Structure formats: structure tokens, C-alpha cells
């Protein structure tokens, strides 16, 4: 891993769980392992993620975000190279995030804002629909990197993605909003048992596009999108916006972590027994070496 010339500090605004790995719990450890300082603001504080039968906790609102950021600003410690945002369940909270982004960009015009527009998947929204216009009208023009899944890309662009041509139109829509790097992290456009990732980066006024076929494991994990966004933030910084190399390292870590999680889950459950959500909590700490030094097996393809 190459040595950094300047300090890297991330403000990460997304969900928090006491037990398990989603949101800030999924993003913080990998970023720290890769040498980033990480400050967290939690959009929600739950006992565990929503895949469990019972959930307890609190949802933060705009006034609480404003208070926390005001404290940072008053002390002059709102110095960040990157901003990362993920799950937000409150429209007022998302509105206030936009104000934070604007203020941080005024303080540091070079700050990189990585936006994971967490709204839903597989055709279903799991946040209030009132968040969508805020994302479309206020958040997108502020973002430097955006990492929607296929369903979220469709919501944000109004383009139904049935094939690669539709996906290209959606990606261009994001670029026209001023977003430099677009990664549709997972689409159903791949072949059987494969997910297709599509990415595009504007460099010197030219669009550079990649695609990658990713093997799909036979279980559903939680927190993978949060991990993906954090890793992409880090590797895009290390490789100076080389999207192909960055994505290859992100996916190498993801695949190793998910396979390890599945292997351990099967051991915990025992032969022939069904896996549950507790078994499938990401094994991030155990994957420290794969975060630091990803072994790239799957290569991305440069496309025109």
C-alpha cells in the first residue's frame, strides 16, 4: 500500500448499530485499516439491523445533526478530505446533510463527497418516498462519487434499466448532473449467478467506462453496500481516480470477506441447518488482511 502525502480524514454520516455490521459499523473499520481517520455521525442508532425480528433505538433528526456539526465547526475541527453518506431515514435530516456538504465544500473545495443513496432494492423502497426529490434535486448536484444499485439508479434518473443501453443513459444522466464518478454497484443484467457492475469516470472531459461480472453467492448479506462505498472511497484516493484498478481492489476485498462470512456462517449453523441473520453478520475484523492487501482475481473490463 503506497504512502500518503497528506492526511486523509472522513466524515461518515449514516446508520449505526450496536451489534453487527451495517452503516458506520461496516464502513469505519475498513477505512481505519487503510489509514483514514474517521469521524462518525449516526443518522439512526439501533440495537441491530432491520433484518432481525426485534429492533430498538433512536432516529436522529435535523436539529441533532445541526448541533453535532455546529460543535465541530465552532472548534475548527471540521477539516475533512472526504465526506461519506449512506442510510438516512428522515427527509429533514437529509436536507441538513446538504447544508453540511455545502459548508464543507466552502471550507475545502477539494473535499470528495461519496454518496450512497440508500433508498431500496429489488423494486422496493425502504425509506420515505419524500427522500427521493431531495436526492434528485439537492444531493446529486453536490456529489463527486455516487454508488447506487440498479433500483436506486432507476429512481434517481427516471430511466427503467432493462439493458446496457438503458444503463448507459442512466450513467450519462448522473454525469450531466455534475457527478464525476458513477458506479452502479449491482445490476441484474449479468448472466446466471452473476451480478454486473457498471462504472464510469469523467477524466479530462472524456468518459471512461468499465464493467465487471461478479459471482453471486447464494445468500443475502447486510451491510455490503456500506462496505463497498467505503472501500471505493479509499481506493479511488490511493489510485488517483483510476476507476478500473480501484474497483478491482474493492471487489477483491468484498469477495474474500463475503466468502469468509459464508464459510463461518455454515460452521456456526452446523451441517444441514438453515442460516440466520446472526450467522451472516460480516466478518470484517477477520478480513483485515484482505482489506489491507486485496488479492485481485476478477478483472474489470474497459469499455468504450
Amino acid at each position: 500500500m503506497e504512502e500518503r502525502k497528506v492526511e486523509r480524514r472522513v466524515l461518515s454520516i449514516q446508520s449505526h448499530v450496536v451489534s453487527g455490521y451495517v452503516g458506520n459499523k461496516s464502513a469505519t473499520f475498513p477505512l481505519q485499516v487503510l489509514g483514514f481517520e474517521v469521524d462518525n455521525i449516526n443518522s439512526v442508532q439501533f440495537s441491530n439491523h432491520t433484518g432481525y425480528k426485534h429492533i430498538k433505538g433512536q432516529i436522529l433528526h435535523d436539529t441533532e445533526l445541526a448541533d453535532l456539526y455546529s460543535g465541530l465547526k465552532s472548534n475548527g475541527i471540521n477539516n475533512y478530505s472526504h465526506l461519506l453518506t449512506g442510510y438516512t431515514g428522515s427527509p429533514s435530516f437529509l436536507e441538513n446533510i446538504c447544508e453540511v456538504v455545502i459548508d464543507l465544500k466552502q471550507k475545502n473545495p477539494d473535499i470528495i463527497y461519496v454518496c450512497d443513496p440508500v433508498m431500496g432494492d429489488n423494486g422496493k423502497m425502504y425509506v420515505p418516498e419524500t427522500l427521493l426529490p431531495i436526492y434528485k434535486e439537492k444531493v446529486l448536484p453536490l456529489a463527486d462519487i455516487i454508488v447506487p444499485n440498479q433500483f436506486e439508479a432507476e429512481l434517481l434518473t427516471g430511466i427503467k434499466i432493462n439493458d446496457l443501453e438503458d444503463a448507459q443513459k442512466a450513467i450519462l444522466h448522473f454525469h450531466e448532473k455534475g457527478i464525476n464518478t458513477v458506479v452502479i454497484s449491482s445490476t441484474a443484467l449479468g448472466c446466471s449467478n452473476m451480478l454486473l457492475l457498471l462504472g464510469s469516470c469523467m477524466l479530462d472531459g472524456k468518459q471512461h467506462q468499465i464493467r465487471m461480472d461478479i459471482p453471486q453467492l447464494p445468500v443475502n448479506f447486510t451491510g455490503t453496500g456500506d462496505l463497498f462505498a467505503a472501500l471505493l472511497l479509499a481506493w479511488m484516493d490511493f489510485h488517483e481516480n483510476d476507476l478500473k484498478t480501484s474497483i478491482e481492489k474493492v471487489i477483491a476485498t468484498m469477495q474474500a470477506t463475503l466468502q469468509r462470512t459464508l464459510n463461518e456462517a455454515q460452521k456456526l449453523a452446523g451441517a444441514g441447518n438453515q442460516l440466520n441473520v446472526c450467522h451472516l453478520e460480516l466478518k470484517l475484523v477477520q478480513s483485515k488482511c484482505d482489506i489491507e492487501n486485496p488479492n485481485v482475481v476478477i478483472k474489470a473490463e474497459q469499455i468504450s
Side-chain angles (χ1 to χ4, degrees):
M1 191 167 60
E2 61 195 75
E3 183 179 354
R4 292 186 181 83
K5 297 178 181 179
V6 295
E7 182 183 22
R8 298 295 185 258
R9 181 179 292 271
V10 181
L11 177 61
S12 180
I13 306 176
Q14 50 188 316
S15 62
H16 170 77
V17 290
V18 176
S19 178
Y21 291 94
V22 299
N24 274 326
K25 284 284 292 291
S26 189
T28 300
F29 177 73
L31 285 168
Q32 290 174 328
V33 165
L34 290 170
F36 287 70
E37 293 285 351
V38 186
D39 292 348
N40 296 326
I41 294 178
N42 302 323
S43 58
V44 301
Q45 298 187 119
F46 290 157
S47 54
N48 41 264
H49 70 69
T50 56
Y52 286 83
K53 185 176 180 179
H54 303 288
I55 310 158
K56 298 291 184 179
Q58 303 82 37
I59 298 174
L60 273 72
H61 299 286
D62 57 327
T63 53
E64 291 151 318
L65 171 58
D67 284 345
L68 290 169
Y69 184 71
S70 176
L72 296 172
K73 186 174 181 179
S74 296
N75 287 297
I77 50 177
N78 58 333
N79 303 303
Y80 298 102
S81 60
H82 295 79
L83 172 66
L84 173 62
T85 64
Y87 176 84
T88 299
S90 162
S92 63
F93 194 95
L94 185 59
E95 292 266 13
N96 199 257
I97 283 178
C98 295
E99 295 179 21
V100 170
V101 178
I102 291 169
D103 193 72
L104 288 173
K105 283 182 174 276
Q106 289 175 343
K107 184 176 180 64
N108 175 17
D110 295 325
I111 191 172
I112 301 298
Y113 173 27
V114 180
C115 174
D116 182 5
V118 180
M119 288 185 289
D121 203 359
N122 299 315
K124 182 180 179 181
M125 288 188 73
Y126 41 67
V127 298
E129 291 185 7
T130 48
L131 266 69
L132 180 56
I134 302 171
Y135 271 113
K136 292 172 71 171
E137 297 163 15
K138 297 186 176 182
V139 177
L140 291 186
L142 295 171
D144 299 292
I145 300 174
I146 189 168
V147 289
N149 58 36
Q150 179 177 338
F151 177 60
E152 290 159 348
E154 291 174 339
L155 288 174
L156 291 167
T157 64
I159 298 169
K160 181 65 177 175
I161 300 174
N162 295 311
D163 53 32
L164 287 174
E165 184 177 350
D166 294 333
Q168 299 293 347
K169 291 177 182 177
I171 288 171
L172 185 58
H173 176 94
F174 288 124
H175 283 317
E176 289 173 346
K177 290 285 186 180
I179 302 170
N180 185 70
T181 301
V182 180
V183 178
I184 303 181
S185 56
S186 60
T187 76
L189 303 178
C191 57
S192 178
N193 300 320
M194 301 288 280
L195 295 173
L196 177 63
L197 176 150
L198 297 168
S200 177
C201 190
M202 298 297 294
L203 295 173
D204 300 322
K206 294 182 179 179
Q207 187 179 5
H208 299 260
Q209 301 179 74
I210 64 163
R211 59 172 288 165
M212 177 184 276
D213 292 302
I214 306 168
Q216 188 173 12
L217 294 174
V219 293
N220 292 320
F221 300 95
T222 306
T224 53
D226 311 315
L227 175 60
F228 181 97
L231 292 171
L232 183 63
L233 181 157
W235 289 114
M236 285 288 282
D237 181 69
F238 278 121
H239 294 293
E240 298 181 344
N241 297 319
D242 179 345
L243 183 59
K244 182 178 183 297
T245 301
S246 299
I247 285 293
E248 288 171 350
K249 291 192 174 183
V250 169
I251 297 303
T253 295
M254 295 285 296
Q255 288 287 294
T257 302
L258 296 183
Q259 187 63 62
R260 177 175 291 105
T261 300
L262 178 56
N263 293 345
E264 291 299 315
Q266 290 169 336
K267 291 179 185 177
L268 287 169
N273 294 322
Q274 187 173 358
L275 304 180
N276 62 36
V277 290
C278 185
H279 297 146
L280 291 168
E281 291 284 7
L282 297 180
K283 297 296 184 284
L284 283 184
V285 174
Q286 297 88 337
S287 301
K288 178 176 178 289
C289 291
D290 295 302
I291 295 168
E292 290 179 301
N293 296 294
N295 178 28
V296 175
V297 176
I298 306 170
K299 294 285 188 176
E301 176 188 352
Q302 203 86 41
I303 56 178
S304 58

